Amino acid sequence: MGSGATQSKLGPRFLKAFLFAAEKHAGQVRKASTTPYIAHLMGVASLTLEFGGDEDMAIAALLHDVVEDCGGVPMLREVKKRFRQPCSEDCDGCTDSDVEPKRHGASARKLISGI
């Protein structure tokens, strides 16, 4: 890192979000692949941090598909309860939980473009 760069600290909330996402997406794989779905969420969280996002944004990146893929509006309420704002607001803004058909890929693009 250069002398003027700051490092984003990831704390216990990030770990809690990672474990929550891993639990909710357990057994899921990427389309046409055997890659565990959590790999996608890790990639989005990584890009979020690399493009200057903070811990809250990285947490939202980990959770951006949990609402859409694992329970819709009731899951959004669970995310809001566990992770509070602004993480839950970012998740809500990135989910298509009540939109059919699902627009895959749009959620991650929304999150990263907001940085």
Side-chain angles (χ1 to χ4, degrees):
M1 281 190 150
S3 60
T6 59
Q7 185 175 2
S8 179
K9 182 177 184 238
L10 300 177
R13 290 177 59 245
F14 182 85
L15 178 58
K16 180 179 171 186
F18 176 82
L19 295 173
F20 183 78
E23 176 188 326
K24 297 301 176 189
H25 290 285
Q28 295 178 2
V29 295
R30 297 284 286 164
K31 285 187 178 183
S33 167
T34 58
T35 303
Y37 197 78
I38 192 71
H40 161 65
L41 304 173
M42 292 166 55
V44 176
S46 175
L47 288 171
T48 298
L49 292 166
E50 288 178 32
F51 281 93
D54 60 14
E55 182 180 40
D56 285 331
M57 293 180 86
I59 289 170
L62 289 172
L63 301 176
H64 80 270
D65 279 338
V66 77
V67 173
E68 192 171 317
D69 297 341
C70 303
V73 174
M75 183 56 63
L76 179 59
R77 283 194 287 274
E78 178 71 16
V79 168
K80 286 180 179 182
K81 180 180 158 189
R82 287 178 182 244
F83 298 99
R84 309 271 182 229
Q85 298 173 331
C87 300
S88 62
E89 289 176 350
D90 288 341
C91 285
D92 192 17
C94 291
T95 191
D96 298 323
S97 63
D98 53 2
V99 174
E100 291 293 335
K102 302 294 184 210
R103 295 174 302 178
H104 294 284
S107 299
R109 282 191 296 277
K110 284 183 202 174
L111 185 66
I112 293 171
S113 68
I115 296 173

